[in-house]
Structures are given as C-alpha cells and as structure tokens.
Amino acid sequence: MVYPMALESKPTRLTLRRMVVAYARPVENHLPPRTAAFFDLDKTVIAKSSTLAFGRSFYQGGLINRRAVLRTAYAQFVYLVGGADHDQMEGMRKYLSELCRGWNVQQVREIVAETLHDLIDPIIYDEAASLIEEHHAAGRDVVIVSASGSEVVEPIGEMLGADHVVATRMVVKDGAYNGEIEHYVYGPAKAEAIEDLARSEGYDLERSFAYSDSVTDIPMLESVGHPYAVNPDRALRREAAAREWPVLTFSRPVRLNQRIPSLSMPPRPVLAAAAVGAAAATAGLVWLAARRRRMVVMS
C-alpha cells in the first residue's frame, strides 16, 4: 500500500486526491469496511472560531451588549494568533456558557440561519472543501466534530454536506439555555464521541481519517489510523513531528459557490448544490441554487 508523504507546504488538489484515494482500494471479492473522515471545525475547515464569528450578529439580535461584542472580538483575535490551550479553552467555555444563560434557543437558531452564509461561507478553506469532496468520492462519511454549540455547528455541517455532526450541547429549560452544559465535546470527549459513532455506524477507525489544528485534539487524532495536523499550533506541530503525522497547511478561504468541485460526484445537501450551480451556470442552475438557498434560510 502506498502511504501519503508528510506535507509542510500547501497541498495541491492532485496531492489531496492521492492522499485519500490511496486507502480506497477495495479488497477483491469482499466489501470494504465502512470508514469516515472526522474534521475539527475551527481553523481546520473554517478560518475562525465558529462561535465567536457570530458575536456581532448576536449583538444585533439583542442577545449581548457592546462590551460582550468587544470581548468576543478580542477572544477571536487571540484564538487566531496563538490558538487556545486547555486553560484558555476552559475559560472560553465558562465565559460563553454564562453569557448565553437565558438566551432563547429558537432565536439563536434563527440568527444563525439568517447570517450563516454571510459569516461562514467566505471563511471556508478551499483545501478543506476539496478534502470533503475527495472523501465522499472515496465512499467515506464526513463527520464534523466540534466543541462549539450544536445550534451553530449543525447548520455549518449541513452547508458543507457533512453526513454527521458531533457538537457541544447546552442544557435547555423552558426553551432557553440555563447556563449549564449537557455534553462538552472537547479533548478526550471528542475521541469518545468518535468511538461511539463508529460503533453505531460500523466505521473501521483504523482505516479512517481525522484532521485538527489543536494539541487538545490529540485524543481525537489518536483514535484513527490516519491522523493529520492541519494548520497546527506549536504544540501539535511538535507532536506531529515526533509521531510522524502528516502536516497540512490550509490558507485559501473561498465561498462555496465560487469554487468548482475537483470531482464529479452525487449531489450532497448544500455543498453540492452550490458547487454544481457554479459549474453549470449556463444551464440555468445558478437560479435554482440561489432559490434553494433562500428556502433553506427561510425554513
């Protein structure tokens, strides 16, 4: 079997295709085991923190004040510059869970739906979108695994065409968050969630893939046979070098409807609709894609 080489520079689409197809050869006369590709979200698939990206939208919706907007903007800056270690992630978790105490869950979902494409679509890494396409083409499920809240992560996962989303869940009482966390998908809990999903879906984790930027996701990366460090923080870069894990650099954020998929493949929820619309504009599919997007946002 040919294994992909470790990458320290920007991967080409041909390299990405070879990486994921290298493991896709079925065993003769046997059905290949089910496999999956598990993606962390923030700074792996998108260029920012998914939760903090909605700070201004939550302010405009009356959920937070100006001071909180500035604090989330500062937290976003710190996160982008240096990443976040365990203590910083714990501090962010406590701050955000307290901040959203009393928020109406339906209002949060509506704000996310209304601003999702404006805020998240432009910061999706083209390289990540290509990898998602490649894994789907190789017959693997794509799973987004994130410490951010499910109300934010699930719509992003749908937009990307993910098959499953695993995200943090807040406790809801009388239609509002009570400030407590039901399930925090962080650190070892990410690995546990992946193992639980693998059991229920029948994934062979030894043949599966995982991608993350943070040293706090080492348990997640260890849980699969093919781990990749993407835009790694310094600690994860050191760990990846010690373990000889491949390192990928993603640096090209692009709107999904401005890119053409590298492979022809069966339609996936929103990712494929946008990509096919861009590729076949002369056939009139752009109008259909735009109409579908409006229907999704309004629903």
Side-chain angles (χ1 to χ4, degrees):
M1 180 178 291
V2 178
Y3 290 86
M5 296 177 63
L7 299 175
E8 289 287 350
S9 59
K10 299 176 183 178
T12 65
R13 288 195 175 182
L14 179 59
T15 301
L16 294 174
R17 182 181 296 122
R18 286 173 176 170
M19 284 165 45
V20 296
V21 172
Y23 305 97
R25 302 186 182 96
V27 178
E28 187 176 358
N29 297 326
H30 296 279
L31 289 176
R34 293 195 68 197
T35 55
F38 301 92
F39 287 82
D40 175 48
L41 181 60
D42 300 347
K43 295 180 70 176
T44 302
V45 175
I46 64 175
K48 297 182 179 180
S49 162
S50 52
T51 298
L52 298 178
F54 287 93
R56 184 168 296 276
S57 297
F58 291 151
Y59 167 72
Q60 293 172 343
L63 294 176
I64 58 178
N65 57 30
R66 186 176 295 275
R67 182 177 181 181
V69 173
L70 294 175
R71 185 169 180 180
T72 55
Y74 174 73
Q76 182 77 268
F77 172 76
V78 171
Y79 180 71
L80 291 176
V81 171
D85 58 22
H86 174 76
D87 292 339
Q88 289 170 327
M89 286 293 292
E90 280 297 304
M92 190 180 300
R93 177 189 66 82
K94 292 178 181 178
Y95 168 68
L96 292 175
S97 60
E98 181 62 30
L99 180 68
C100 72
R101 184 192 300 270
W103 287 7
N104 181 276
V105 176
Q106 184 58 35
Q107 183 182 5
V108 171
R109 289 174 176 162
E110 291 173 356
I111 290 174
V112 171
E114 290 169 0
T115 59
L116 177 68
H117 290 280
D118 290 336
L119 294 176
I120 302 300
D121 199 350
I123 61 174
I124 295 170
Y125 285 122
D126 186 29
E127 300 94 334
S130 294
L131 261 181
I132 289 172
E133 293 166 1
E134 301 285 357
H135 280 297
H136 273 152
R140 300 185 187 94
D141 282 359
V142 169
V143 184
I144 303 297
V145 187
S146 176
S148 294
S150 59
E151 287 77 16
V152 169
V153 181
E154 288 175 359
I156 296 175
E158 181 180 358
M159 182 169 65
L160 291 165
D163 300 279
H164 299 282
V165 167
V166 180
T168 294
R169 296 191 305 272
M170 303 290 293
V171 176
V172 177
K173 186 175 182 180
D174 298 327
Y177 301 118
N178 71 353
E180 298 178 3
I181 295 178
E182 178 181 347
H183 182 51
Y184 189 33
V185 183
Y186 169 74
K190 277 193 176 183
E192 293 170 5
I194 286 174
E195 291 165 2
D196 289 343
L197 185 62
R199 281 191 291 269
S200 64
E201 295 294 327
Y203 298 141
D204 181 348
L205 289 181
E206 185 60 31
R207 295 171 60 92
S208 294
F209 293 69
Y211 303 86
S212 179
D213 72 293
S214 175
V215 69
T216 61
D217 283 341
I218 283 180
M220 166 182 170
L221 296 172
E222 289 176 330
S223 67
V224 301
H226 307 297
Y228 287 81
V230 177
N231 298 340
D233 55 32
R234 283 176 291 183
L236 179 57
R237 183 175 289 277
R238 289 194 300 268
E239 196 69 28
R243 300 180 184 226
E244 298 183 342
W245 289 346
V247 175
L248 305 177
T249 299
F250 293 173
S251 61
R252 298 192 302 270
V254 63
R255 287 184 177 273
L256 291 179
N257 63 359
Q258 292 177 351
R259 60 186 304 278
I260 299 175
S262 56
L263 294 175
S264 298
M265 53 188 293
R268 294 276 172 173
V270 180
L271 170 63
V276 172
T282 56
L285 290 181
V286 167
W287 179 84
L288 290 174
R291 184 171 183 270
R292 184 177 181 182
R293 173 186 286 185
R294 289 197 297 271
M295 291 175 65
V296 170
V297 171
M298 293 174 61
S299 61

